[in-house]
């Protein structure tokens, strides 16, 4: 059994993927190319944005977003404590401070009340300039944008959606990647829409941000092309081969994979209701189910379940064992007295089970039985 079964997905899509790969090989166009253009058009249409710009990976996409937002030395970037380091790592590289906020106890996403407390604390201290909020749709479930967007507006902050885990999710009929001034995603193989290497994308409705993004991605190119460099940029692009692979995968995601993930999640929910804390997806939200995470009673019970699963050969993961504020690299970031109660609690109790659209009912029953045995 696989935690995420990319082999089963490839078998299902083999003829289309192989044909696309072959046509890239025949064209001998490896950088840029028609599949990249076609993919950007389809991605923008799918999420409901005016512009999609593909790039080399999800971390680059975030760095580009931070560069568009003009983030640098002396700026504060606000971020949920429960995420992957990529959410603020590029902002740190640009000289900003990562200001972590607690998560909500039910969705595990950025808690609007903690965000507002941290913004006020930064303003009261007067040392850093609040610049941007990076809202992470953790585990595939979108953030509470109706609460977060007005806070960003009130304090004049750029809202960036980190949709690396939530491609395909939706909130009140709007798709993930459509929130904030800029949204970013990742096509790392294990994400809901993954390629066969690294890839990422930036989304925006703002024409100026689109132009700036396309310049940053190509060494800060100017109107005269790539040897007319007008700013310091990056070298960040999605390969033609990766775009060729992503097109049939996007079609499968749209046509049946999201539904299949939902079915798997519902079966787990039914099996574990009342026994463990099952994921909470509020009314009006659809998760992309990048991960299926449960909370045990406490850390001791979690460790016992995980040990039993491992002993039975059932793949399992912990997303994430350590909240951002407790990582060695962020020990010196200002916390302004925030205790990160919910993030600490979540990290101690969480564990994730195999979750992908090709998980059979039989395989899933094996996982469920093993978890119930451990209880
Ligand atoms: C995976 C991930 C990223 C980074 O994506 P890469 O393509 O691996 O660089 C950023 N943010 C979150 C929340 C992620 O899970």
């Amino acid at each position: 059994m696989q935690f995420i079964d990319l082999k089963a997905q490839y078998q299902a899509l083999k003829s289309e993927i192989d044909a696309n790969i072959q046509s890239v090989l025949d064209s001998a166009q490896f950088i840029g190319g028609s599949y990249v253009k076609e993919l950007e058009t389809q991605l923008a249409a799918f999420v409901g944005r005016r512009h999609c710009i593909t790039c080399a990976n999800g971390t680059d996409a975030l760095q580009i977003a931070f560069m568009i937002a003009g983030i640098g030395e002396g700026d504060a970037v606000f971020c949920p404590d429960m995420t992957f380091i990529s959410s603020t790592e590029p902002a740190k590289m640009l000289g900003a401070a990562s200001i972590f906020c607690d998560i909500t106890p039910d969705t595990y996403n950025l808690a609007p009340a903690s965000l507002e407390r941290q913004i006020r604390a930064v303003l009261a201290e007067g040392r850093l300039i609040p610049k941007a909020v990076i809202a992470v749709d953790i585990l595939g479930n979108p953030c509470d944008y109706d609460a977060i967007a007005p806070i960003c507006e009130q304090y004049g902050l750029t809202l960036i959606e980190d949709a690396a885990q939530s491609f395909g999710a939706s909130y009140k009929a709007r798709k993930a990647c459509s929130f904030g001034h800029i949204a970013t995603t990742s096509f790392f193989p294990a994400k809901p829409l993954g390629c066969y290497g690294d890839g990422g994308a930036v989304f925006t409705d703002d024409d100026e941000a689109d132009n700036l993004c396309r310049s940053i991605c190509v060494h800060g190119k100017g109107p005269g092309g790539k040897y007319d460099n007008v700013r310091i940029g990056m070298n960040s692009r999605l390969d033609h081969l990766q775009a060729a692979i992503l097109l049939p995968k996007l079609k499968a995601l749209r046509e049946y994979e999201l539904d299949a993930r939902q079915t798997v999640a519902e079966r787990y929910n039914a099996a574990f209701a009342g026994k463990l804390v099952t994921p909470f997806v509020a009314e009006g939200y659809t998760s992309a189910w990048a991960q299926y995470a449960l909370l045990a009673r406490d850390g001791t019970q979690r460790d016992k379940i995980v040990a039993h699963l491992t002993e039975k050969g059932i793949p399992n993961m912990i997303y994430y064992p350590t909240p951002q504020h407790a990582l060695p690299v962020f020990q010196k970031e200002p916390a302004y007295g925030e205790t990160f109660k919910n993030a600490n609690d979540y990290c101690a109790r969480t564990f994730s089970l195999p979750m992908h659209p090709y998980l059979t009912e039989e395989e899933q029953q094996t996982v469920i039985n093993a978890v119930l045995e451990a209880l």
Side-chain angles (χ1 to χ4, degrees):
M1 193 188 311
Q2 303 289 315
F3 189 71
I4 294 171
D5 200 340
L6 297 175
K7 283 186 188 163
Q9 187 194 42
Y10 175 60
Q11 285 312 314
L13 305 174
K14 188 175 183 340
S15 59
E16 284 171 271
I17 290 176
D18 287 1
N20 279 12
I21 289 175
Q22 191 58 53
S23 91
V24 172
L25 297 181
D26 291 339
S27 78
Q29 173 147 29
F30 299 113
I31 300 295
S34 58
Y35 287 124
V36 175
K37 264 203 140 83
E38 176 61 22
L39 180 70
E40 290 183 347
T41 304
Q42 287 196 22
L43 289 170
F46 177 71
V47 306
R49 281 284 205 189
R50 283 172 51 75
H51 306 288
C52 167
I53 308 93
T54 52
C55 63
N57 57 67
T59 309
D60 273 10
L62 282 154
Q63 178 166 340
I64 294 159
F66 291 134
M67 288 168 79
I68 292 170
I71 282 159
E73 204 74 45
D75 292 334
V77 171
F78 301 86
C79 172
D81 197 28
M82 180 41 48
T83 184
F84 182 55
I85 188 169
S86 289
S87 297
T88 65
E89 187 182 25
K92 279 296 294 179
M93 289 277 280
L94 294 167
S98 302
I99 308 297
F100 300 110
C101 307
D102 206 1
I103 58 172
T104 75
D106 53 5
T107 65
Y108 321 135
N109 272 325
L110 179 63
S114 177
L115 170 63
E116 190 151 23
R117 274 201 304 276
Q118 295 299 64
I119 296 169
R120 287 192 179 166
V122 168
L123 287 172
E125 186 197 39
R127 189 173 61 87
L128 299 165
I129 301 165
K131 256 305 183 28
V133 173
I134 175 83
V136 185
D137 301 334
I138 203 76
L139 307 170
N141 191 28
C143 290
D144 183 355
Y145 290 102
D146 280 353
I148 294 169
I151 297 172
C152 293
E153 191 121 332
Q154 184 185 342
Y155 294 96
L157 310 182
T158 302
L159 176 57
I160 298 166
E161 178 191 12
D162 179 352
Q165 301 183 6
S166 62
F167 190 87
S170 55
Y171 171 44
K172 295 189 179 168
R174 280 179 64 182
K175 287 274 194 306
C177 296
S178 75
F179 298 97
H181 181 219
I182 303 164
T184 64
T185 198
S186 162
F187 304 127
F188 181 79
K191 309 284 180 180
L193 179 62
C195 58
Y196 290 169
D198 277 305
V202 176
F203 297 87
T204 186
D205 294 318
D206 179 346
D207 296 349
E208 214 172 297
D210 173 52
N211 284 331
L212 195 48
C213 185
R214 292 187 188 278
S215 165
I216 291 168
C217 284
V218 188
H219 305 282
K221 72 171 180 185
K226 71 175 180 180
Y227 304 121
D228 174 34
N229 313 87
V230 296
R231 59 176 60 83
I232 294 299
M234 302 163 67
N235 171 27
S236 194
R237 55 202 173 198
L238 185 77
D239 292 346
H240 199 199
L241 269 172
Q242 299 302 340
I245 290 158
L246 281 164
L247 278 164
K249 285 200 172 207
L250 173 61
K251 183 161 157 270
L253 175 139
R254 218 168 28 206
E255 286 179 358
Y256 64 87
E257 286 188 353
L258 286 171
D259 288 343
R261 285 176 182 273
Q262 185 63 30
T263 303
V264 171
E266 280 165 16
R267 278 199 219 115
Y268 276 144
N269 285 345
F272 301 127
K275 300 185 176 78
L276 291 157
V277 180
T278 54
F280 173 72
V281 179
E283 190 71 36
Y285 290 75
T286 310
S287 178
W289 298 108
Q291 305 298 339
Y292 186 86
L294 290 159
L295 295 198
R297 193 187 328 117
D298 51 33
T300 311
Q301 190 192 40
R302 187 267 306 272
D303 294 346
K304 201 178 116 193
I305 297 168
V306 163
H308 184 69
L309 293 175
T310 303
E311 193 193 304
K312 293 229 136 187
I314 293 170
N316 59 84
M317 300 290 270
I318 293 176
Y319 294 110
Y320 294 96
T322 311
Q324 295 292 298
H325 81 271
L327 290 174
V329 67
F330 290 135
Q331 295 285 301
K332 292 199 182 94
E333 295 304 285
Y336 303 104
E338 177 60 72
T339 60
F340 306 107
K341 178 173 164 289
N342 298 330
N344 286 329
D345 183 59
Y346 169 87
C347 285
R349 296 163 63 197
T350 190
F351 66 101
S352 292
L353 299 178
M355 162 54 81
H356 59 83
Y358 302 88
L359 191 69
T360 66
E361 210 167 335
E362 200 185 353
E363 285 175 314
Q364 198 176 1
Q365 198 55 52
T366 308
V367 179
I368 291 168
N369 292 347
V371 174
L372 296 179
E373 273 164 34
L375 295 177

